């Protein structure tokens, strides 16, 4: 058997391959482009393309594609073959630098939110050399950005790269102020922990709701849910283990460092975490991971559900975005240092994050807003929709000491050492854990936990990078002008703590009283739904910040806001329509059949012996008939709400109708259907129930 070491990254045109296949000059030039985000030198592309083609063809590839991430949320690809006719009637395999660098997919049916008129259908894709090309099936996939002809970003990668650039620019200014002149580049890294459910494919196929919407829209509570907590970190079932084994192999071949896997809290729920890497590559790899999870699951007769809330009453799935900033030399800027000076720099970056999260709570909430994730945020299993930061006792005590100009007494270590400089000295071991915080400091990184399992991590990181770049810019502007650097630094850190400490919360984020305190006492935002938060993307302060750092243009922001609201409305309209069909076409007829049989039984019994009361049958028939009456009325009410949404004058109005009318009507329809399920004999029920779905994979 091949060892992992032999096949790891075997399908990736990675550094090892580049070094082996490119001339020293070409390799050095490409490396500069990758590491320092320098423009690609002319002539280099042809050489790289030729090497890529030779490598890909040797690995059995026949096609290439520009692989990109349009705003639909999934990845897109259009395959072209390498073949080109040769004069002797045969073919040669061709791939030019031009084809590598730029593609022109007919992009008229990707969402553009009005950025690209259909007559100008062709967008273009541009090679992103900072993310390695890879082979999927028989196709060489080239990670690309996707833009309109006028240069507007139509994808998630372009603004992500711009936000990384913005953060790089501002962080370098700060590092230079601290005398770190050797640093050439700063980049952010992410390790996204991915949750998902696995259900049996044969059962999945029988549920229109799962097939059309990715979640169950009906389903009575099973006798056993997750109350025993016996699934979390439990023994992995053989079928799941076989799936995970193959998944790991596929991911490893693609150079994805899949590292940990375990069962999650809910039955049938699992998690996969890779080792962290540069944000840009992590984003591409997470998209690829989700795609491969779904593919591999099918090979095992399973379906991988990435929806945030596939089942009511059991935990939903999220994605934890572990985020840090590091220099090109590998110094983690969110890691407390050994010297007071390093610690001062660390504190400044920490403060930049605090300020960013407080100033742009709304953007962070927006970055994770989808119809699916709305079900999760604020439920008793996921962080609330209110954004706050957890720092842990030690850092808290340090910030408190700085704010109030009092000596810092280590929480555990009693010694207090004010360094030669004005800031207190402290140690690295800030290892507290708080699982309920939306944004937790975990020793040398921040873990942003509000992302939904199906979200691309691009959006969250775009907002995070940009907001932190803005804090750093404000700091750099001030410090570059300061007469006395250390005093100015101290004052600024102190001011940040005073101005932004409301965002720090170390308690239980699931507590009802916290939401009250957060919103009433601290004035933090609580946008419960996508419809509530999304319009704030266009707020003056948000737009101005994002535009000033070159992350989005105004037109791009407007288009994104519209597309996100459109996605929200469309997903829920599909759910509403699916409910109507299932209730009318499957649930009502099933309940009717069962009721009729019960009634017939009662008459038959009475015919045999007229003294029998048949109280059981009579009661059941009455109850079921009441339920079918209610279901019928509520189907009509949902249809009316859906019509109202369809008639709304614009996307903002439509999303409000969806939030206020459609979602409520859906809940109201579900309740009597679930009651009917609980009263109806299982053999009559038209699709598999929760117990079947959650407990059948062995
Ligand atoms: P948890 O306790 O949440 O499971 P882990 O320490 O296992 O935390 O890490 C979870 C994720 O964080 C992994 O993907 C890991 O690679 C990533 N991670 C660890 N260190 C960093 C870092 N410095 N920057 C970004 N991500 C990191
Ligand atoms: Mg975690």
């Amino acid at each position: 058997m091949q060892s992992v070491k032999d096949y790891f990254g075997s399908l990736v045109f990675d550094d090892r391959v580049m070094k082996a296949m490119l001339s020293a000059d070409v390799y050095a030039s490409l490396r500069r482009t990758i590491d320092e985000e320098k423009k690609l030198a002319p002539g280099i592309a042809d050489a790289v393309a030729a090497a890529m083609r030779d490598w890909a063809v040797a690995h059995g590839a026949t096609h290439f594609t520009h692989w990109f991430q349009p705003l639909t949320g999934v990845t897109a690809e259009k395959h072209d073959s390498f073949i080109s006719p040769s004069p002797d009637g045969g073919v040669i395999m061709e791939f030019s630098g031009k084809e590598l660098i730029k593609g022109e997919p007919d992009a008229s049916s990707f969402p553009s939110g009005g950025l690209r008129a259909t007559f100008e259908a062709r967008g273009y894709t541009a090679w992103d050399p900072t993310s390695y090309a890879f082979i999927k099936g028989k196709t060489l996939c080239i990670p690309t950005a996707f833009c309109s002809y006028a240069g507007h970003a139509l994808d998630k990668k372009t603004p992500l790269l711009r936000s990384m650039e913005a953060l790089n620019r501002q962080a370098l200014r700060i590092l230079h102020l601290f005398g770190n002149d050797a640093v050439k580049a700063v980049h952010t890294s992410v390790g996204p922990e991915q949750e998902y459910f696995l259900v049996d494919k044969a059962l999945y196929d029988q549920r229109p709701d799962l097939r059309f919407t990715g979640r169950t829209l009906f389903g009575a509570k099973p006798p056993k849910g997750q109350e025993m907590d016996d699934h979390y970190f439990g023994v992995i079932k053989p079928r799941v283990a076989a799936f995970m084994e193959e998944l790991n192999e596929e991911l490893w071949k693609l150079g994805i460092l899949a590292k940990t896997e375990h069962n999650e809290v809910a039955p049938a729920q699992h998690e996969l975490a890779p080792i962290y890497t540069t944000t840009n590559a992590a984003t591409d790899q997470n998209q690829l991971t989700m795609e491969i999870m779904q593919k591999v699951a099918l090979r095992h007769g399973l379906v991988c559900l990435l929806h945030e809330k596939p089942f009511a009453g059991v935990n939903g799935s999220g994605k934890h975005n572990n985020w840090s900033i590091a220099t090109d030399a590998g110094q983690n800027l969110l890691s407390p240092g050994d010297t007071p000076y390093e610690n001062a720099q660390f504190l400044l970056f920490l403060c930049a994050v605090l300020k960013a999260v407080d100033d742009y709570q709304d953007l962070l909430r927006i970055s994770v807003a989808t119809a699916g994730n709305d079900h999760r945020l604020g439920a008793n299993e996921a962080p609330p929709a209110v954004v706050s930061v957890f720092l842990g006792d030690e850092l808290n005590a340090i910030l408190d000491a700085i704010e109030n100009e009092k000596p810092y007494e280590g929480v555990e270590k009693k010694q207090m050492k004010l360094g030669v400089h004005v800031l207190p000295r402290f140690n690295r071991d800030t290892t507290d854990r708080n699982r309920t915080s939306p944004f937790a400091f975990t020793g040398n990184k921040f873990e942003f936990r509000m992302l939904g399992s199906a979200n691309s991590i691009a959006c969250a990181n775009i907002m995070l990078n940009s907001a932190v770049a803005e804090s750093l810019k404000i700091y750099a502007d001030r410090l570059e002008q300061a007469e006395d650097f250390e005093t100015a630094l101290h004052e600024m850190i102190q001011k940040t703590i005073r101005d932004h400490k409301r965002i720090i919360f170390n308690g239980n984020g699931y507590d009802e009283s916290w939401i009250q305190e957060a919103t009433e006492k601290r004035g933090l935002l609580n946008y419960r739904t996508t419809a509530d938060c999304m319009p704030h993307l266009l707020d003056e302060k948000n737009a101005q910040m994002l535009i000033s750092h070159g992350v989005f243009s105004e037109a791009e922001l407007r288009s994104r806001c519209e597309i996100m609201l459109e996605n929200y409305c469309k997903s829920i309209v599909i759910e509403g329509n699916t409910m109507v069909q299932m209730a009318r076409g499957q649930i009502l007829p099933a309940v009717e059949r069962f009721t009729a049989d019960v009634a017939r039984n009662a008459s038959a019994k009475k015919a045999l012996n007229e003294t029998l009361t048949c109280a059981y049958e009579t009661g059941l028939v009455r109850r079921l008939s009441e339920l079918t009456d209610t279901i019928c009325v509520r189907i009509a009410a949902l249809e009316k709400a859906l019509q109202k949404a369809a008639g709304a004058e614009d996307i903002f109005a439509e999303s409000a109708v969806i939030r206020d009318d459609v979602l409520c009507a859906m809940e109201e329809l579900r309740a009597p259907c679930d009651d009917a399920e609980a009263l109806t004999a299982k053999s009559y029920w038209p699709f598999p129930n929760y117990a079947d779905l959650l407990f059948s994979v062995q």
Side-chain angles (χ1 to χ4, degrees), residues 119-137:
F119 61 82
E120 196 203 283
R122 288 191 312 177
Y124 70 89
T125 50
W127 178 35
D128 166 20
T130 63
S131 182
Y132 295 138
F134 55 92
I135 295 173
K136 206 173 61 177

Side-chain angles (χ1 to χ4, degrees), residues 189-193 273-276 322-324 332 433 435 444-445 447:
S189 292
V190 170
E193 301 164 61
I275 296 174
Y276 67 98
N322 293 275
W323 176 93
S324 64
N332 181 349
R433 284 283 190 256
R435 301 268 166 207
N444 61 0
K445 62 186 190 288
E447 187 169 342

Side-chain angles (χ1 to χ4, degrees), residues 469-520:
E470 173 69 8
S471 305
L472 293 174
K473 175 180 179 293
I474 292 170
Y475 291 169
D477 286 350
R478 168 82 185 86
L479 289 174
E480 281 166 0
Q481 302 303 320
E483 277 174 17
D484 173 6
F485 176 72
E486 275 163 37
T487 313
L489 178 67
H490 181 76
E491 278 170 10
M492 221 159 45
I493 289 178
Q494 200 174 43
K495 179 169 163 36
T496 302
I497 300 167
R498 287 188 181 146
D499 291 351
H500 299 287
K501 66 178 174 192
R502 65 170 187 164
I503 198 77
I504 303 171
F505 176 63
N506 293 302
N508 181 359
Y510 297 174
D511 233 340
E512 199 42 51
S513 63
W514 159 238
I515 303 302
Q516 211 175 351
E517 177 184 333
T519 52
E520 287 167 20

Side-chain angles (χ1 to χ4, degrees), residues 164 167 186-190 277-280 323-326 461 465:
M164 291 170 71
L167 184 62
V186 167
H187 59 255
T188 56
S189 292
V190 170
T277 179
T278 315
T279 307
N280 174 32
W323 176 93
S324 64
I325 327 175
N461 287 294
N465 292 342

Side-chain angles (χ1 to χ4, degrees), residues 247-258:
L247 175 63
N248 278 339
E249 244 168 67
E250 296 271 324
L251 294 176
W252 288 337
K253 280 190 214 160
L254 286 164
I256 298 173
L257 290 153

